[in-house]
Amino acid sequence: MTELQTAPTATDTPGAMIELHGVGKIYPGSSVPAVADLDLAIPEGEILVLVGPSGCGKSTTLRLINRMIEPTSGRIVFDGEDVTAVNPDHLRRRIGYVIQQIGLFPHQTIAENIGTVPRLVGWDKARIAARVDELLDLTGLDPVQFRDRYPKELSGGQAQRVGVARALAADPPVLLMDEPFGAIDPITRDRLQNEFLRLQGDLKKTIVFVTHDIDEAIKMGDRIAILGEQSVIRQYDTPERILAYPVDEFVSDFIGAGSTLKGLNFERVRDLELISDFPVVDVDTARDEAQRRFDASPEKWMLVLDSVGRPHRWVNAGHLADASHPLAEVGAAVNSTVMPNATLHDALEEMLLSNAGCAVVVDERNRYQGVLDIEVLADVLKQLRQQAKKHYDDLAQLDAVDQEAQLQDAEPQ
Amino acid sequence: MTSLHDVPSEVVELDAVHSAPPPGARDEQVSDDADGYRLPPGVRLIRSNLGLFVTPLIVIAGIIALRVYYNSADKIFQDERALDWERNLRPQLEEHLGITLWATVFTIVIAVPLGILLTRPRYRRFGSPVLAVATSGQAIPAFGLLVLAFAWLGRGPWTTIWALALFTMLPVLRNTMVGLEQVDRNVIEAGRGMGLTKRQVLRRIELPLAIPVILAGVRTALVITVGMAALAFLIGGGGLGETISAGLKLSRDLVLITGAVMTALVALSVDWIAALAEKTLRPKGL
Ligand SMILES: Nc1ncnc2c1ncn2[C@@H]1O[C@H](COP(=O)(O)OP(=O)(O)OP(=O)(O)O)[C@@H](O)[C@H]1O
Ligand SMILES: [Mg+2]
């Protein structure tokens, strides 16, 4: 990793599958580079999302990796091998490529389309046919129904699935995807994204995913590289940390308002300490005992649990004063709860909906575990921000030390 | 390559008509659940190719009418001689077809590779000039071209063949170039991105996708050639023009009309065969 010091990579990056070293591209007839001196390590088995404003050079960067575009400068290392000068056609057969417009061959059936690369690398017919069916299955298309169709007989979402299947056909270790879900309606896109994430959970491919949509980046990325003009990396990190701590104004502008809320999607209820001293009583507690406990607590609401410990009613001072009904019948019903694996985003929604301003946490059998309130969330967010900031401060310090070391190295000459 | 499309061209417009899916093709754009209304393949084939059944009927009707006319007409000795099947009509028909066939073959063999070459990045810049030359070349009247060829190559069918091949180069060349240029860039990008070499992309993707447009150009060339082959007799090239000319010289309507009708029937048949080829060679899925 020493050659890659200038890349603002996180320190816990796993082994890099692809490395770009000082890669640049100046298109003929243009004076400004489309990609300027880019150092980038693409971690193995993860989805790295390149995201940035239109025209910042995302597609160019992606196409430099499989040498659809020849770099003007720099080196590209693929799986430990310098591929800057190898036969690009052979290189591309080892790298899956999916584009927004999909580019299925209209005169070939779906099976022929998917079998393109296996045919190129010389698989036999039976193996290709089996692989085609396997991939159709994997991408949620019925092989019997789809293998002999032509691309024009597919919907946009189906075509995009075939595009992904085709890119996966010869089982390449790396997949390059240029806005693969860009031209699809939001509902189908969401479904394709989820399916793809599920697929990736099994396949563990090394994926470079280009999008200009920050929400898609947050959803899809194990890591995100936010790119500025000329493909300069403005921030490179996990989505959580980018949301918690955008390093500069460019990044925070790009993430846009609501980044804090988006960050809540990455935290789970089970990782938090629940409020333990929230007033709670069993349904058959005596009324004066219940009143006593309520008075002892600063909270304005108290939770009544049923006989097996499930949240039952919310009661406040007014409800308690009404002695004509048993505890089980006063107050308001608890109609929603969250489980420990819910995200904080879900929890926040519950808080906003509940009378008491609290989210009730229950276990799998709906038994009361504790509550969360808005203050807990605020604390969590503050902590996340602090952690991320500390991470960057540490990095900066490391950098400074490194630079000093380099200076000292350089001194004797 | 916008300049390609700037060239005013009846051929390219014609293509738009040709490359529009035939009426029946719409039926094939079925969604998941639409299999129910799919017609049996035989019925669909006939329905979408109705046009292809009309021409043979016209040709057969024409042949019958011609025979009836011939049998019922008063004939003099010169008529019988000029319209003798073995001595005149059959050899002329064969020459006519031969000229058409060879001229078209030469056109294809020259214009298609040239069109491919002129759409490759290396030679693309020559595309517009070459097309411009070809277009202005076609402004020369066919007759003038035949005379020029005669002056250069002398008498005989091969002179006609070369002259016609040259004359019909333009539609094939232009359609080859347009056909290749109109292939969706994304399809090519996807092909290259998967590791197909440039040659494989050309052979497996670009050419198959350009075939309908190229064939439309070839069909135009064929129709022009088969019509102009009637002029071949002017420079000793033979063909059915001989009979027409004999009819004019003898002032015999029977001979003149037989020659003219046969020329027309041959043209219709050739066009029909070309249409058939266009239909069957068009890749499925387009
Ligand atoms: N073939 C080309 N020739 C010349 N310039 C190009 C070419 N392709 C892209 N560019 C320029 O390079 C820059 C980066 O383009 P690129 O397509 O990589 O942007 P992008 O980040 O993918 O944008 P988008 O989100 O709009 O797809 C742009 O300024 C673009 O105009
Ligand atoms: Mg792009």
Side-chain angles (χ1 to χ4, degrees):
Chain A
M1 285 297 286
T2 37
E3 306 114 286
L4 274 174
Q5 264 162 5
T6 44
T9 49
T11 41
D12 53 344
T13 314
M17 184 70 189
I18 300 168
E19 296 163 39
L20 305 187
H21 298 277
V23 169
K25 174 68 190 181
I26 303 175
Y27 282 110
S30 166
S31 51
V32 284
V35 172
D37 194 29
L38 178 66
D39 288 313
L40 183 66
I42 296 156
E44 181 164 6
E46 288 193 355
I47 301 181
L48 168 66
V49 178
L50 305 181
V51 63
S54 184
C56 72
K58 303 179 295 290
S59 298
T60 305
T61 304
L62 196 75
R63 289 151 55 83
L64 282 166
I65 296 173
N66 65 356
R67 307 234 336 263
M68 291 292 284
I69 297 175
E70 294 293 348
T72 337
S73 58
R75 287 190 309 125
I76 300 161
V77 177
F78 180 94
D79 204 6
E81 174 197 351
D82 189 326
V83 292
T84 323
V86 303
N87 179 331
D89 295 320
H90 293 175
L91 174 66
R92 286 177 205 143
R93 290 171 200 175
R94 294 194 280 157
I95 301 179
Y97 186 46
V98 185
I99 53 177
Q100 174 174 349
Q101 303 80 1
I102 317 174
L104 294 183
F105 306 144
H107 59 303
Q108 295 186 357
T109 62
I110 302 313
E112 287 167 335
N113 264 284
I114 296 177
T116 304
V117 180
R119 264 202 313 279
L120 277 181
V121 297
W123 291 18
D124 64 56
K125 280 218 174 75
R127 185 171 170 210
I128 295 175
R131 179 68 178 154
V132 166
D133 286 3
E134 181 190 349
L135 282 164
L136 282 173
D137 252 340
L138 209 60
T139 47
L141 298 170
D142 174 20
V144 178
Q145 205 186 355
F146 284 96
R147 72 166 89 85
D148 295 322
R149 285 205 191 176
Y150 285 95
K152 72 166 185 197
E153 299 167 332
L154 300 182
S155 71
Q158 290 164 346
Q160 195 52 269
R161 277 172 229 220
V162 173
V164 171
R166 184 173 69 170
L168 288 171
D171 207 16
V174 173
L175 219 52
L176 307 180
M177 311 180 83
D178 195 347
E179 308 207 20
F181 308 132
I184 294 172
D185 67 276
I187 294 171
T188 314
R189 183 191 316 159
D190 198 55
R191 210 168 60 214
L192 287 179
Q193 286 169 343
N194 293 337
E195 279 174 14
F196 187 75
L197 285 174
R198 193 173 38 73
L199 204 63
Q200 165 67 355
D202 298 333
L203 298 178
K204 299 270 188 294
K205 300 281 179 198
T206 302
I207 295 170
V208 188
F209 188 110
V210 164
T211 177
H212 60 256
D213 175 0
I214 185 68
D215 290 318
E216 184 169 60
I218 292 166
K219 177 167 182 186
M220 301 303 287
D222 294 310
R223 262 158 240 276
I224 297 176
I226 295 184
L227 304 180
E229 283 300 302
Q230 305 182 358
S231 220
V232 172
I233 299 180
R234 306 304 290 256
Q235 188 166 4
Y236 176 111
D237 217 322
T238 57
E240 294 90 322
R241 224 156 15 216
I242 287 180
L243 287 173
Y245 189 77
V247 287
D248 59 19
E249 203 166 320
F250 176 88
V251 175
S252 55
D253 279 355
F254 189 74
I255 296 172
S259 70
T260 322
L261 281 182
K262 288 171 196 162
L264 289 177
N265 276 319
F266 290 98
E267 302 301 318
R268 306 252 163 211
V269 168
R270 63 165 166 265
D271 300 328
L272 302 189
E273 207 165 306
L274 306 178
I275 301 173
S276 52
D277 55 355
F278 195 84
V280 176
V281 291
D282 282 337
V283 70
D284 35 59
T285 313
R287 285 306 274 266
D288 54 346
E289 169 65 9
Q291 188 67 49
R292 205 185 50 72
R293 284 221 218 144
F294 182 76
D295 292 342
S297 155
E299 305 288 342
K300 292 196 174 59
W301 290 82
M302 183 163 74
L303 194 61
V304 179
L305 305 184
D306 68 10
S307 52
V308 288
R310 294 179 303 202
H312 186 54
R313 315 288 292 180
W314 282 114
V315 294
N316 61 15
H319 301 133
L320 277 175
D322 171 14
S324 59
H325 294 284
L327 257 189
E329 283 167 33
V330 295
V334 178
N335 21 20
S336 63
T337 53
V338 294
M339 302 244 209
N341 64 354
T343 65
L344 292 199
H345 197 272
D346 301 334
L348 177 63
E349 202 151 314
E350 293 309 326
M351 282 174 208
L352 297 177
L353 288 175
S354 93
N355 301 335
C358 295
V360 180
V361 183
V362 296
D363 66 9
E364 294 77 38
R365 292 150 91 180
N366 268 331
R367 281 176 317 206
Y368 174 74
Q369 299 288 298
V371 300
L372 284 176
D373 68 5
I374 213 103
E375 274 167 45
V376 179
L377 286 196
D379 279 349
V380 169
L381 289 173
K382 205 154 88 194
Q383 254 175 38
L384 285 175
R385 242 190 328 266
Q386 276 165 357
Q387 278 168 11
K389 181 166 181 335
K390 180 165 179 325
H391 171 82
Y392 279 96
D393 289 346
D394 289 351
L395 273 187
Q397 213 160 18
L398 271 178
D399 252 14
V401 172
D402 270 350
Q403 265 167 16
E404 219 163 280
Q406 272 177 1
L407 278 179
Q408 277 170 4
D409 281 354
E411 216 114 283
Q413 289 161 14
Chain B
M1 223 47 209
T2 40
S3 47
L4 251 187
H5 304 281
D6 293 340
V7 181
S9 153
E10 76 292 352
V11 180
V12 175
E13 278 162 20
L14 215 128
D15 296 334
V17 177
H18 280 298
S19 52
R26 287 265 163 249
D27 294 350
E28 284 159 24
Q29 295 188 346
V30 285
S31 56
D32 291 351
D33 57 350
D35 286 0
Y37 75 79
R38 271 194 165 171
L39 296 163
V43 176
R44 259 194 311 149
L45 199 72
I46 291 173
R47 190 193 270 191
S48 66
N49 295 299
L50 223 55
L52 285 181
F53 291 92
V54 175
T55 309
L57 292 180
I58 293 176
V59 171
I60 291 168
I63 291 172
I64 293 171
L66 199 56
R67 282 215 80 104
V68 170
Y69 173 57
Y70 178 80
N71 290 335
S72 63
D74 296 330
K75 289 177 278 282
I76 58 169
F77 169 68
Q78 281 97 331
D79 292 341
E80 306 245 3
R81 234 179 90 114
L83 298 178
D84 185 275
W85 177 252
E86 283 304 326
R87 265 184 67 180
N88 280 321
L89 288 184
R90 196 167 70 104
Q92 283 170 16
L93 183 64
E94 282 168 2
E95 278 162 357
H96 205 98
L97 291 174
I99 289 168
T100 307
L101 182 74
W102 284 111
T104 309
V105 166
F106 287 145
T107 300
I108 294 173
V109 165
I110 295 167
V112 171
L114 187 62
I116 293 173
L117 207 67
L118 291 176
T119 50
R120 298 307 95 185
R122 258 182 102 162
Y123 300 104
R124 187 164 286 161
R125 65 208 145 103
F126 300 116
S128 301
V130 169
L131 267 189
V133 170
T135 308
S136 60
Q138 207 171 37
I140 303 174
F143 183 54
L145 196 70
L146 281 181
V147 172
L148 277 180
F150 172 63
W152 187 33
L153 296 170
R155 284 175 65 85
W158 289 101
T159 303
T160 323
I161 289 169
W162 279 114
L164 290 185
L166 202 65
F167 191 71
T168 54
M169 205 73 79
L170 178 67
V172 181
L173 177 66
R174 182 162 51 201
N175 276 36
T176 305
M177 293 173 70
V178 171
L180 288 170
E181 291 290 342
Q182 52 107 61
V183 172
D184 185 354
R185 295 289 109 185
N186 297 310
V187 171
I188 296 175
E189 160 104 5
R192 294 284 289 141
M194 278 189 288
L196 269 71
T197 62
K198 284 185 179 147
R199 189 182 287 253
Q200 285 168 330
V201 168
L202 175 66
R203 222 185 49 235
R204 297 188 194 180
I205 299 172
E206 292 182 80
L207 280 178
L209 291 178
I211 277 280
V213 181
I214 297 177
L215 283 179
V218 170
R219 186 173 168 191
T220 310
L222 256 179
V223 171
I224 297 173
T225 312
V226 76
M228 295 221 325
L231 295 180
F233 77 94
L234 288 171
I235 55 169
L240 290 168
E242 301 272 11
T243 299
I244 298 178
S245 134
L248 288 172
K249 266 191 241 148
L250 299 169
S251 293
R252 291 298 299 168
D253 282 354
L254 178 63
V255 177
L256 182 65
I257 288 172
T258 306
V261 170
M262 276 185 73
T263 309
L265 293 181
V266 168
L268 275 176
S269 311
V270 164
D271 182 55
W272 180 74
I273 292 168
L276 207 64
E278 249 184 320
K279 265 239 141 62
T280 48
L281 293 181
R282 156 187 283 270
K284 271 188 261 167
L286 292 191

